[in-house]
Amino acid sequence: AQSVTQLDSHVSVSEGTPVLLRCNYSSSYSPSLFWYVQHPNKGLQLLLKYTSAATLVKGINGFEAEFKKSETSFHLTKPSAHMSDAAEYFCVVSGAGRRALTFGSGTRLQVQP
Amino acid sequence: DAGVTQSPTHLIKTRGQHVTLRCSPISGHKSVSWYQQVLGQGPQFIFQYYEKEERGRGNFPDRFSARQFPNYSSELNVNALLLGDSALYLCASRPGVQGDATNEKLFFGSGTQLSVL
């Protein structure tokens, strides 16, 4: 079985400051991990994915995440937040038979001017 | 190119009714998946179809069914609607390697918002 836990339901930062969205995972095999973003009234968009290559993964829009097996973590970071980053972010692990995705409960990111 | 399209965008039904949601994948994509997103939660996997065959099913009751057509579009059907079925239903497509979902990017539609009264 596999699951993800997003440690913060809401994160608020000021524009131009760093972003940290935390995610811990549990998986009975070598996991594939993803971060997706959901803007209001828009579909989910893939930010980045980890599939057992480099542990530091770079994604779109300046986001990156580091896979830490010893800590079972896959935290999402960005050096400088932009107003357009305000959205819901989901940490995701590949699921049963790797044909399904298991989503975390989401972290709502607010960016203050 | 058109992305994943879903119809309708919004739907209101009453308890006990039946609903059909539709999804057109990106051209050339053979695999379609359905997810349910209840307000305040992450999406939950319902079904995956590839080449018109069910390839995966999540933990949903038999009231939920789906099918995929020769043109790779898909329908999700829900019978005997309950209040708890109120959710955003998301369709996602990918090119459709038969195997796992890890090596192919999933493309999501904007969803159908279903309200059950």
PDB file of all heavy atoms in Angstrom, chain A residues 53-78:
ATOM      1  N   ALA A  53      15.515   8.561 -10.531  1.00  0.00           N
ATOM      2  CA  ALA A  53      16.736   9.095 -11.145  1.00  0.00           C
ATOM      3  C   ALA A  53      17.366  10.057 -10.119  1.00  0.00           C
ATOM      4  O   ALA A  53      17.553   9.695  -8.989  1.00  0.00           O
ATOM      5  CB  ALA A  53      16.418   9.776 -12.457  1.00  0.00           C
ATOM      6  N   ALA A  54      17.685  11.255 -10.497  1.00  0.00           N
ATOM      7  CA  ALA A  54      18.271  12.220  -9.571  1.00  0.00           C
ATOM      8  C   ALA A  54      17.309  12.518  -8.435  1.00  0.00           C
ATOM      9  O   ALA A  54      16.099  12.625  -8.634  1.00  0.00           O
ATOM     10  CB  ALA A  54      18.609  13.508 -10.312  1.00  0.00           C
ATOM     11  N   THR A  55      17.845  12.650  -7.230  1.00  0.00           N
ATOM     12  CA  THR A  55      16.980  12.887  -6.069  1.00  0.00           C
ATOM     13  C   THR A  55      16.464  14.313  -6.015  1.00  0.00           C
ATOM     14  O   THR A  55      15.443  14.565  -5.385  1.00  0.00           O
ATOM     15  CB  THR A  55      17.720  12.576  -4.766  1.00  0.00           C
ATOM     16  OG1 THR A  55      18.915  13.362  -4.720  1.00  0.00           O
ATOM     17  CG2 THR A  55      18.093  11.098  -4.699  1.00  0.00           C
ATOM     18  N   LEU A  56      17.163  15.250  -6.654  1.00  0.00           N
ATOM     19  CA  LEU A  56      16.673  16.628  -6.730  1.00  0.00           C
ATOM     20  C   LEU A  56      16.017  16.797  -8.094  1.00  0.00           C
ATOM     21  O   LEU A  56      16.656  16.675  -9.131  1.00  0.00           O
ATOM     22  CB  LEU A  56      17.824  17.623  -6.548  1.00  0.00           C
ATOM     23  CG  LEU A  56      17.417  19.100  -6.549  1.00  0.00           C
ATOM     24  CD1 LEU A  56      16.478  19.391  -5.382  1.00  0.00           C
ATOM     25  CD2 LEU A  56      18.645  19.993  -6.482  1.00  0.00           C
ATOM     26  N   VAL A  57      14.731  17.087  -8.059  1.00  0.00           N
ATOM     27  CA  VAL A  57      13.949  17.156  -9.289  1.00  0.00           C
ATOM     28  C   VAL A  57      13.546  18.601  -9.546  1.00  0.00           C
ATOM     29  O   VAL A  57      13.002  19.252  -8.660  1.00  0.00           O
ATOM     30  CB  VAL A  57      12.682  16.289  -9.175  1.00  0.00           C
ATOM     31  CG1 VAL A  57      11.895  16.327 -10.481  1.00  0.00           C
ATOM     32  CG2 VAL A  57      13.038  14.866  -8.793  1.00  0.00           C
ATOM     33  N   LYS A  58      13.812  19.060 -10.738  1.00  0.00           N
ATOM     34  CA  LYS A  58      13.390  20.414 -11.109  1.00  0.00           C
ATOM     35  C   LYS A  58      12.126  20.342 -11.947  1.00  0.00           C
ATOM     36  O   LYS A  58      11.997  19.475 -12.827  1.00  0.00           O
ATOM     37  CB  LYS A  58      14.512  21.113 -11.875  1.00  0.00           C
ATOM     38  CG  LYS A  58      15.748  21.380 -11.018  1.00  0.00           C
ATOM     39  CD  LYS A  58      16.758  22.233 -11.748  1.00  0.00           C
ATOM     40  CE  LYS A  58      18.023  22.428 -10.909  1.00  0.00           C
ATOM     41  NZ  LYS A  58      17.738  23.128  -9.624  1.00  0.00           N
ATOM     42  N   GLY A  59      11.207  21.257 -11.652  1.00  0.00           N
ATOM     43  CA  GLY A  59       9.942  21.266 -12.360  1.00  0.00           C
ATOM     44  C   GLY A  59       9.707  22.570 -13.090  1.00  0.00           C
ATOM     45  O   GLY A  59      10.635  23.347 -13.310  1.00  0.00           O
ATOM     46  N   ILE A  60       8.449  22.802 -13.401  1.00  0.00           N
ATOM     47  CA  ILE A  60       8.111  24.020 -14.123  1.00  0.00           C
ATOM     48  C   ILE A  60       7.943  25.188 -13.148  1.00  0.00           C
ATOM     49  O   ILE A  60       7.768  24.986 -11.946  1.00  0.00           O
ATOM     50  CB  ILE A  60       6.817  23.833 -14.936  1.00  0.00           C
ATOM     51  CG1 ILE A  60       5.638  23.506 -14.024  1.00  0.00           C
ATOM     52  CG2 ILE A  60       7.004  22.754 -15.992  1.00  0.00           C
ATOM     53  CD1 ILE A  60       4.300  23.497 -14.732  1.00  0.00           C
ATOM     54  N   ASN A  61       8.012  26.393 -13.688  1.00  0.00           N
ATOM     55  CA  ASN A  61       7.747  27.618 -12.921  1.00  0.00           C
ATOM     56  C   ASN A  61       8.684  27.793 -11.722  1.00  0.00           C
ATOM     57  O   ASN A  61       8.302  28.431 -10.736  1.00  0.00           O
ATOM     58  CB  ASN A  61       6.293  27.660 -12.441  1.00  0.00           C
ATOM     59  CG  ASN A  61       5.320  27.633 -13.605  1.00  0.00           C
ATOM     60  OD1 ASN A  61       5.648  28.015 -14.724  1.00  0.00           O
ATOM     61  ND2 ASN A  61       4.120  27.158 -13.347  1.00  0.00           N
ATOM     62  N   GLY A  62       9.894  27.244 -11.798  1.00  0.00           N
ATOM     63  CA  GLY A  62      10.886  27.458 -10.754  1.00  0.00           C
ATOM     64  C   GLY A  62      10.759  26.562  -9.535  1.00  0.00           C
ATOM     65  O   GLY A  62      11.502  26.715  -8.563  1.00  0.00           O
ATOM     66  N   PHE A  63       9.833  25.628  -9.550  1.00  0.00           N
ATOM     67  CA  PHE A  63       9.668  24.706  -8.432  1.00  0.00           C
ATOM     68  C   PHE A  63      10.656  23.547  -8.523  1.00  0.00           C
ATOM     69  O   PHE A  63      11.062  23.145  -9.610  1.00  0.00           O
ATOM     70  CB  PHE A  63       8.243  24.137  -8.402  1.00  0.00           C
ATOM     71  CG  PHE A  63       7.218  25.104  -7.910  1.00  0.00           C
ATOM     72  CD1 PHE A  63       6.489  25.885  -8.801  1.00  0.00           C
ATOM     73  CD2 PHE A  63       6.971  25.238  -6.545  1.00  0.00           C
ATOM     74  CE1 PHE A  63       5.544  26.784  -8.346  1.00  0.00           C
ATOM     75  CE2 PHE A  63       6.027  26.125  -6.075  1.00  0.00           C
ATOM     76  CZ  PHE A  63       5.309  26.909  -6.979  1.00  0.00           C
ATOM     77  N   GLU A  64      11.047  23.032  -7.366  1.00  0.00           N
ATOM     78  CA  GLU A  64      11.842  21.822  -7.311  1.00  0.00           C
ATOM     79  C   GLU A  64      11.504  21.040  -6.051  1.00  0.00           C
ATOM     80  O   GLU A  64      10.892  21.575  -5.121  1.00  0.00           O
ATOM     81  CB  GLU A  64      13.348  22.118  -7.380  1.00  0.00           C
ATOM     82  CG  GLU A  64      13.902  22.949  -6.254  1.00  0.00           C
ATOM     83  CD  GLU A  64      15.393  23.205  -6.450  1.00  0.00           C
ATOM     84  OE1 GLU A  64      15.840  23.421  -7.600  1.00  0.00           O
ATOM     85  OE2 GLU A  64      16.117  23.197  -5.439  1.00  0.00           O
ATOM     86  N   ALA A  65      11.860  19.757  -6.066  1.00  0.00           N
ATOM     87  CA  ALA A  65      11.585  18.908  -4.909  1.00  0.00           C
ATOM     88  C   ALA A  65      12.744  17.946  -4.724  1.00  0.00           C
ATOM     89  O   ALA A  65      13.388  17.549  -5.692  1.00  0.00           O
ATOM     90  CB  ALA A  65      10.275  18.141  -5.109  1.00  0.00           C
ATOM     91  N   GLU A  66      12.983  17.589  -3.461  1.00  0.00           N
ATOM     92  CA  GLU A  66      14.066  16.677  -3.152  1.00  0.00           C
ATOM     93  C   GLU A  66      13.521  15.407  -2.534  1.00  0.00           C
ATOM     94  O   GLU A  66      12.789  15.451  -1.532  1.00  0.00           O
ATOM     95  CB  GLU A  66      15.083  17.320  -2.206  1.00  0.00           C
ATOM     96  CG  GLU A  66      16.312  16.444  -1.978  1.00  0.00           C
ATOM     97  CD  GLU A  66      17.415  17.149  -1.217  1.00  0.00           C
ATOM     98  OE1 GLU A  66      17.197  18.273  -0.729  1.00  0.00           O
ATOM     99  OE2 GLU A  66      18.508  16.554  -1.105  1.00  0.00           O
ATOM    100  N   PHE A  67      13.879  14.267  -3.111  1.00  0.00           N
ATOM    101  CA  PHE A  67      13.485  12.969  -2.590  1.00  0.00           C
ATOM    102  C   PHE A  67      14.491  12.551  -1.520  1.00  0.00           C
ATOM    103  O   PHE A  67      15.689  12.461  -1.797  1.00  0.00           O
ATOM    104  CB  PHE A  67      13.451  11.933  -3.709  1.00  0.00           C
ATOM    105  CG  PHE A  67      13.200  10.523  -3.254  1.00  0.00           C
ATOM    106  CD1 PHE A  67      11.936  10.142  -2.833  1.00  0.00           C
ATOM    107  CD2 PHE A  67      14.220   9.581  -3.237  1.00  0.00           C
ATOM    108  CE1 PHE A  67      11.689   8.837  -2.424  1.00  0.00           C
ATOM    109  CE2 PHE A  67      13.987   8.280  -2.828  1.00  0.00           C
ATOM    110  CZ  PHE A  67      12.722   7.912  -2.413  1.00  0.00           C
ATOM    111  N   LYS A  68      14.002  12.342  -0.288  1.00  0.00           N
ATOM    112  CA  LYS A  68      14.867  11.901   0.804  1.00  0.00           C
ATOM    113  C   LYS A  68      14.329  10.588   1.349  1.00  0.00           C
ATOM    114  O   LYS A  68      13.367  10.574   2.128  1.00  0.00           O
ATOM    115  CB  LYS A  68      14.929  12.958   1.902  1.00  0.00           C
ATOM    116  CG  LYS A  68      15.664  14.230   1.501  1.00  0.00           C
ATOM    117  CD  LYS A  68      15.836  15.168   2.690  1.00  0.00           C
ATOM    118  CE  LYS A  68      16.645  16.401   2.302  1.00  0.00           C
ATOM    119  NZ  LYS A  68      16.826  17.329   3.448  1.00  0.00           N
ATOM    120  N   LYS A  69      14.982   9.496   0.936  1.00  0.00           N
ATOM    121  CA  LYS A  69      14.498   8.178   1.323  1.00  0.00           C
ATOM    122  C   LYS A  69      14.569   7.966   2.829  1.00  0.00           C
ATOM    123  O   LYS A  69      13.661   7.388   3.435  1.00  0.00           O
ATOM    124  CB  LYS A  69      15.308   7.102   0.605  1.00  0.00           C
ATOM    125  CG  LYS A  69      14.794   5.693   0.813  1.00  0.00           C
ATOM    126  CD  LYS A  69      15.561   4.701  -0.024  1.00  0.00           C
ATOM    127  CE  LYS A  69      15.032   3.287   0.179  1.00  0.00           C
ATOM    128  NZ  LYS A  69      15.774   2.306  -0.659  1.00  0.00           N
ATOM    129  N   SER A  70      15.646   8.463   3.454  1.00  0.00           N
ATOM    130  CA  SER A  70      15.829   8.245   4.892  1.00  0.00           C
ATOM    131  C   SER A  70      14.747   8.937   5.707  1.00  0.00           C
ATOM    132  O   SER A  70      14.414   8.503   6.808  1.00  0.00           O
ATOM    133  CB  SER A  70      17.207   8.756   5.325  1.00  0.00           C
ATOM    134  OG  SER A  70      17.326  10.144   5.063  1.00  0.00           O
ATOM    135  N   GLU A  71      14.195  10.021   5.161  1.00  0.00           N
ATOM    136  CA  GLU A  71      13.149  10.766   5.866  1.00  0.00           C
ATOM    137  C   GLU A  71      11.770  10.499   5.269  1.00  0.00           C
ATOM    138  O   GLU A  71      10.791  11.068   5.751  1.00  0.00           O
ATOM    139  CB  GLU A  71      13.449  12.265   5.801  1.00  0.00           C
ATOM    140  CG  GLU A  71      14.774  12.653   6.455  1.00  0.00           C
ATOM    141  CD  GLU A  71      15.102  14.129   6.303  1.00  0.00           C
ATOM    142  OE1 GLU A  71      14.233  14.902   5.834  1.00  0.00           O
ATOM    143  OE2 GLU A  71      16.241  14.509   6.643  1.00  0.00           O
ATOM    144  N   THR A  72      11.698   9.680   4.245  1.00  0.00           N
ATOM    145  CA  THR A  72      10.458   9.423   3.474  1.00  0.00           C
ATOM    146  C   THR A  72       9.738  10.731   3.171  1.00  0.00           C
ATOM    147  O   THR A  72       8.527  10.871   3.397  1.00  0.00           O
ATOM    148  CB  THR A  72       9.515   8.433   4.195  1.00  0.00           C
ATOM    149  OG1 THR A  72       9.110   8.977   5.457  1.00  0.00           O
ATOM    150  CG2 THR A  72      10.177   7.096   4.391  1.00  0.00           C
ATOM    151  N   SER A  73      10.508  11.690   2.659  1.00  0.00           N
ATOM    152  CA  SER A  73       9.923  12.997   2.371  1.00  0.00           C
ATOM    153  C   SER A  73      10.144  13.383   0.914  1.00  0.00           C
ATOM    154  O   SER A  73      11.067  12.891   0.245  1.00  0.00           O
ATOM    155  CB  SER A  73      10.517  14.065   3.290  1.00  0.00           C
ATOM    156  OG  SER A  73      11.877  14.301   2.967  1.00  0.00           O
ATOM    157  N   PHE A  74       9.304  14.286   0.450  1.00  0.00           N
ATOM    158  CA  PHE A  74       9.381  14.799  -0.936  1.00  0.00           C
ATOM    159  C   PHE A  74       8.820  16.224  -0.897  1.00  0.00           C
ATOM    160  O   PHE A  74       7.767  16.516  -1.440  1.00  0.00           O
ATOM    161  CB  PHE A  74       8.594  13.893  -1.882  1.00  0.00           C
ATOM    162  CG  PHE A  74       8.806  14.185  -3.345  1.00  0.00           C
ATOM    163  CD1 PHE A  74      10.073  14.155  -3.917  1.00  0.00           C
ATOM    164  CD2 PHE A  74       7.728  14.466  -4.173  1.00  0.00           C
ATOM    165  CE1 PHE A  74      10.273  14.410  -5.263  1.00  0.00           C
ATOM    166  CE2 PHE A  74       7.911  14.731  -5.529  1.00  0.00           C
ATOM    167  CZ  PHE A  74       9.171  14.700  -6.065  1.00  0.00           C
ATOM    168  N   HIS A  75       9.541  17.105  -0.231  1.00  0.00           N
ATOM    169  CA  HIS A  75       9.082  18.483  -0.035  1.00  0.00           C
ATOM    170  C   HIS A  75       9.261  19.318  -1.301  1.00  0.00           C
ATOM    171  O   HIS A  75      10.266  19.191  -2.016  1.00  0.00           O
ATOM    172  CB  HIS A  75       9.837  19.144   1.125  1.00  0.00           C
ATOM    173  CG  HIS A  75       9.685  18.432   2.433  1.00  0.00           C
ATOM    174  ND1 HIS A  75       8.600  17.632   2.745  1.00  0.00           N
ATOM    175  CD2 HIS A  75      10.502  18.414   3.527  1.00  0.00           C
ATOM    176  CE1 HIS A  75       8.736  17.142   3.966  1.00  0.00           C
ATOM    177  NE2 HIS A  75       9.885  17.597   4.465  1.00  0.00           N
ATOM    178  N   LEU A  76       8.311  20.204  -1.535  1.00  0.00           N
ATOM    179  CA  LEU A  76       8.328  21.088  -2.713  1.00  0.00           C
ATOM    180  C   LEU A  76       8.818  22.467  -2.287  1.00  0.00           C
ATOM    181  O   LEU A  76       8.353  23.002  -1.267  1.00  0.00           O
ATOM    182  CB  LEU A  76       6.918  21.199  -3.301  1.00  0.00           C
ATOM    183  CG  LEU A  76       6.753  22.053  -4.542  1.00  0.00           C
ATOM    184  CD1 LEU A  76       7.400  21.378  -5.750  1.00  0.00           C
ATOM    185  CD2 LEU A  76       5.261  22.315  -4.819  1.00  0.00           C
ATOM    186  N   THR A  77       9.741  23.045  -3.048  1.00  0.00           N
ATOM    187  CA  THR A  77      10.279  24.353  -2.707  1.00  0.00           C
ATOM    188  C   THR A  77      10.340  25.256  -3.936  1.00  0.00           C
ATOM    189  O   THR A  77      10.327  24.787  -5.084  1.00  0.00           O
ATOM    190  CB  THR A  77      11.706  24.242  -2.121  1.00  0.00           C
ATOM    191  OG1 THR A  77      12.557  23.624  -3.093  1.00  0.00           O
ATOM    192  CG2 THR A  77      11.714  23.420  -0.836  1.00  0.00           C
ATOM    193  N   LYS A  78      10.379  26.553  -3.646  1.00  0.00           N
ATOM    194  CA  LYS A  78      10.583  27.558  -4.679  1.00  0.00           C
ATOM    195  C   LYS A  78      11.287  28.728  -4.006  1.00  0.00           C
ATOM    196  O   LYS A  78      10.868  29.152  -2.929  1.00  0.00           O
ATOM    197  CB  LYS A  78       9.272  27.999  -5.311  1.00  0.00           C
ATOM    198  CG  LYS A  78       9.461  29.007  -6.447  1.00  0.00           C
ATOM    199  CD  LYS A  78       8.152  29.326  -7.150  1.00  0.00           C
ATOM    200  CE  LYS A  78       8.404  30.313  -8.298  1.00  0.00           C
ATOM    201  NZ  LYS A  78       7.172  30.629  -9.062  1.00  0.00           N
TER     202      LYS A  78
END
